[in-house]
């Protein structure tokens, strides 16, 4: 691609390999990924994205789109591509009367919380504040509030989109409902979203939450107790579990840092007196090595784990959806979780169900309504770079957990080397409808810098 100093009508920043800003601009959250786009078009507004797309199409370059740049597979950038980069478009406008938030495509979840929480409002979000709103929402999305209010994408009311043809459309129930159905989980396959509009809830600003640590050698009994405890959990309560080495962070009790621990992570929003009552059995079981559950601002809880997954480390993930845990599944998790060599690697169980599961499986493109858990096996190494022995640990653990999986997977936890079959597994019976919609909205597969759904004509 020829070097450009301007692009007619483009108001943002154009960054190319010769520019001093290039190496910084092509950095992604995952330090194992190293991509060399031909042009990074850092947009100032939605019109810029349309200009950059048209430029890519006329020059024959491929296109990628960057929201928060957090996808583990690094889909936001590709070698030789035009990267439509939204990292300078992070504005959010909240209407407390309409209970709606309009969110620009480069916003991170920390931006979303900062705009909504002062009004006591919220919506399901990612559990790390430096993750992008865009990619997470387009993949389906779940977080602490999802058992109460559904998937992140269930709360996506409308979106402004630039299609592969260049046409600008709005997807909502009132107009282009098929497109809304597809982008609620179908990823970036259908166009470039230039604004998201979310339904908000009076979720409150205080929660009862925090880690409860148990020693790793008690993992089997802790997980069995956990499995039984969450059977009757109300929607206001989610309990995640992290099996890891306790990190060297201020909030971790000094005597536990560096120890192998199984961490129960309860989160209660709503009436916190009722939350105290609900959490009593979980907090007294063991007893735990440490119990850091407390009333605190939702925003404080949202930021608690940020430093455990910083930008620039190397990461490799694999994932399964799981049904309710069986004894055999628990034994397999406990057997593999600490075979890792990096203290930064971990195995995390998300707790699903509640409002997520109340909607029918074909409510949208998103997956996970039939699962009780999403299991993420996260190999992480602090020095960055493409390889680490824990990648083999991640793959081995993934294989060991295969017999206990629903067969499905959350598309945003699929890595870039897992192939087409895994994308099919992510969408299951919804894949065919998605492939037909892809043929309608992007017949030439312009938007293939993602977990790709091939157009089916
Ligand atoms: C630390 C960490 C924590 C996470 N926690 C959660 C969690 O709690 N819950 C959860 O559900 N997921 C979670 N995820 C997974 C997360 O959903 C994905 O990594 C997601 O892709 C991140 O979105 P992004 O905008 O930052 O990514 P990017 O890498 O920028 O983009 C990801 C994909 O979305 C496409 N895309 C981005 N923006 C647009 C747009 N405007 N229009 C069209 N396509 C676009 C990209 O092209 C790419 O294919 C987490 C990830 C990380 C790294």
């Amino acid at each position: 691609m020829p070097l450009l100093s301007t692009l007619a009508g483009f108001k943002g920043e154009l960054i190319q390999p010769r520019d001093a800003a290039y190496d910084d601009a092509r950095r992604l959250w995952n330090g194992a990924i190293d991509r060399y786009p031909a042009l990074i078009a850092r947009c100032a507004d939605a019109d810029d994205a349309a200009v950059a797309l048209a430029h890519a199409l006329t020059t024959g370059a491929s296109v990628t789109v960057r929201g928060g740049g957090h996808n583990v597979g690094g889909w936001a950038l590709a070698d030789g591509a035009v990267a439509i980069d939204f990292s300078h478009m992070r504005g959010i406008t909240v209407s407390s009367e309409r209970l709606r938030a309009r969110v620009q495509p480069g916003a991170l979840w920390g931006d979303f919380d900062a705009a909504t929480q002062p009004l006591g409002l919220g919506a399901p979000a990612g559990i790390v504040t430096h993750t992008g709103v865009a990619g997470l929402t387009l993949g389906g999305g779940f977080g602490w509030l999802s058992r109460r209010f559904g998937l992140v994408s269930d709360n996506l009311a409308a979106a402004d989109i630039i299609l592969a043809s260049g046409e600008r459309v709005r997807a909502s129930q009132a107009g282009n409902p098929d497109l809304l159905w597809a982008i609620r989980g179908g990823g970036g396959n259908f166009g470039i979203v230039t604004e998201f509009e979310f339904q908000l809830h009076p979720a409150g600003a205080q929660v009862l939450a925090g880690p409860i640590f148990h020693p790793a050698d008690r993992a089997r009994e802790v997980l069995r107790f956990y499995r039984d405890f969450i059977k009757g959990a109300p929607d206001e309560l989610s309990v995640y579990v992290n099996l890891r080495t306790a990190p060297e962070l201020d909030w971790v009790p000094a005597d536990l840092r560096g120890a192998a621990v199984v961490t129960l992570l309860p989160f209660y929003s709503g009436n916190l007196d009722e939350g105290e009552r609900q959490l009593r059995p979980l907090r007294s079981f063991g007893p735990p090595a440490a119990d850091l559950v407390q009333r605190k601002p939702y925003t404080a809880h949202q930021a608690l784990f940020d430093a455990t997954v910083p930008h620039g480390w190397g990461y490799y993930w694999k994932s399964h959806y799981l049904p309710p845990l069986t004894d055999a599944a628990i034994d397999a998790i406990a057997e593999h979780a600490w075979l890792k060599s990096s203290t930064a690697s971990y195995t995390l169980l998300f707790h699903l169900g509640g409002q997520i599961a109340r909607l029918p499986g074909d409510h949208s493109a998103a997956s996970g309504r039939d699962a009780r858990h999403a299991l993420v096996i996260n190999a992480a190494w602090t020095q960055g770079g493409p390889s680490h022995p824990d990648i083999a640990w991640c793959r081995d653990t993934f294989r060991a957990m295969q017999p206990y999986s629903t067969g499905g997977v959350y598309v945003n936890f699929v890595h870039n080397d897992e192939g087409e079959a895994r994308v099919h597994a992510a969408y299951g019976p919804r894949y065919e409808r998605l492939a037909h919609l892809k043929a309608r909205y992007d017949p030439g597969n312009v938007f293939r810098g993602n977990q790709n759904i091939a157009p089916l004509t």
Side-chain angles (χ1 to χ4, degrees):
M1 174 178 296
L3 292 178
L4 299 167
S5 47
T6 57
L7 196 52
F10 191 87
K11 300 174 284 305
E13 203 181 338
L14 297 172
I15 306 168
Q16 295 157 96
R18 63 174 177 194
D19 296 324
Y22 180 74
D23 277 334
D24 198 39
R26 68 182 188 85
R27 204 163 284 144
L28 294 170
W29 168 79
N30 187 353
I33 308 268
D34 192 18
R35 302 255 161 84
Y36 291 83
L39 173 68
I40 298 172
R42 194 163 270 172
C43 302
D45 59 20
D47 294 344
D48 276 0
V51 172
L53 174 64
H55 172 72
L57 295 179
T58 49
T59 56
S62 56
V63 178
T64 63
V65 184
R66 179 190 183 127
H70 250 57
N71 193 277
V72 69
W75 291 108
L77 301 177
D79 291 344
V82 171
I84 296 176
D85 179 322
F86 286 123
S87 51
H88 284 184
M89 288 177 61
R90 292 171 57 179
I92 298 181
T93 315
V94 178
S95 163
S96 46
E97 296 80 44
R98 291 179 59 238
L99 289 177
R100 290 287 170 99
R102 297 171 76 102
V103 179
Q104 287 193 319
L108 309 181
W109 286 109
D111 302 327
F112 183 89
D113 293 341
T116 54
Q117 277 287 289
L119 304 165
L121 301 176
I127 65 167
V128 167
T129 67
H130 50 75
T131 307
V133 170
L136 186 143
T137 303
L138 293 170
F142 41 75
W144 298 114
L145 290 169
S146 285
R147 285 176 40 78
R148 192 170 167 203
F149 299 121
L151 293 174
V152 174
S153 53
D154 295 340
N155 292 274
L156 177 65
D160 293 335
I161 306 178
I162 305 173
L163 300 178
S165 62
E167 191 188 346
R168 314 264 289 255
V169 298
R170 185 164 176 82
S172 70
Q173 292 299 359
N176 302 304
D178 267 1
L179 187 55
L180 180 67
W181 182 91
I183 63 166
R184 285 172 155 177
N189 275 286
F190 299 92
I192 303 170
V193 177
T194 55
E195 187 174 272
F196 296 82
E197 184 169 333
F198 288 96
Q199 176 69 50
L200 301 176
H201 306 269
Q206 288 283 315
V207 298
L208 178 68
I212 302 174
F213 295 95
H214 292 270
D217 58 11
R218 302 196 60 197
R220 285 175 172 77
E221 52 185 302
V222 172
L223 285 172
R224 280 174 172 73
F225 176 84
Y226 164 74
R227 181 250 329 264
D228 297 339
F229 174 78
I230 60 169
K231 268 184 200 149
D235 292 357
E236 289 81 1
L237 176 62
S238 300
V239 189
Y240 296 179
V241 185
N242 198 338
L243 301 98
R244 62 169 304 142
T245 311
E248 302 280 341
L249 294 173
D250 288 352
W251 55 264
V252 177
D255 59 331
L256 288 180
R257 291 177 203 159
V261 289
V262 49
T263 314
L264 297 172
L265 298 165
F267 169 95
Y268 195 96
S269 69
N271 178 334
L272 301 190
D273 291 336
E274 175 58 15
E276 302 272 8
R277 201 185 66 74
Q278 290 283 344
L279 286 188
R280 212 166 288 141
L282 190 76
R283 299 178 70 181
S284 50
F285 174 76
D291 173 358
L292 305 187
V293 173
Q294 58 178 304
R295 294 184 188 214
K296 58 175 152 179
Y298 171 75
T299 49
H301 190 66
Q302 281 284 87
L304 191 64
F305 304 104
D306 286 2
T308 64
V309 278
H311 289 83
W313 288 5
Y315 298 95
Y316 183 89
W317 294 4
K318 282 175 102 65
S319 179
H320 290 292
Y321 279 131
L322 304 182
L325 298 173
T326 59
D327 285 350
I330 287 172
D331 290 346
I333 294 172
E335 188 185 328
H336 286 84
W338 290 281
L339 298 180
K340 67 199 181 70
S341 61
S342 163
T343 55
S345 298
Y346 61 83
T347 305
L348 176 64
L349 273 171
F350 285 80
H351 180 193
L352 308 178
Q355 180 57 23
I356 300 170
R358 247 168 245 129
L359 296 174
D362 63 354
H363 174 77
S364 70
S367 60
R369 303 201 193 275
D370 58 347
R372 180 66 51 87
H373 301 282
L375 173 82
V376 196
I377 308 144
N378 186 348
W381 51 101
T382 57
Q383 63 275 33
S387 62
H388 188 275
D390 274 5
I391 293 175
W393 162 78
C394 173
R395 291 182 174 138
D396 287 348
T397 308
F398 173 82
R399 268 191 299 274
M401 292 307 298
Q402 183 87 59
Y404 312 109
S405 164
T406 63
V409 63
Y410 172 37
V411 73
N412 275 343
F413 291 164
V414 175
H415 215 298
N416 59 22
D417 60 353
E418 297 196 61
E420 209 181 313
R422 203 66 185 141
V423 182
H424 276 268
Y427 294 113
R430 298 171 305 285
Y431 189 90
E432 196 176 324
R433 181 172 171 191
L434 282 166
H436 281 294
L437 288 169
K438 176 79 173 175
R440 185 182 336 154
Y441 289 107
D442 181 17
N445 207 2
V446 169
F447 302 115
R448 57 183 179 277
N450 45 43
Q451 299 293 0
N452 196 231
I453 297 164
L456 183 70
T457 45

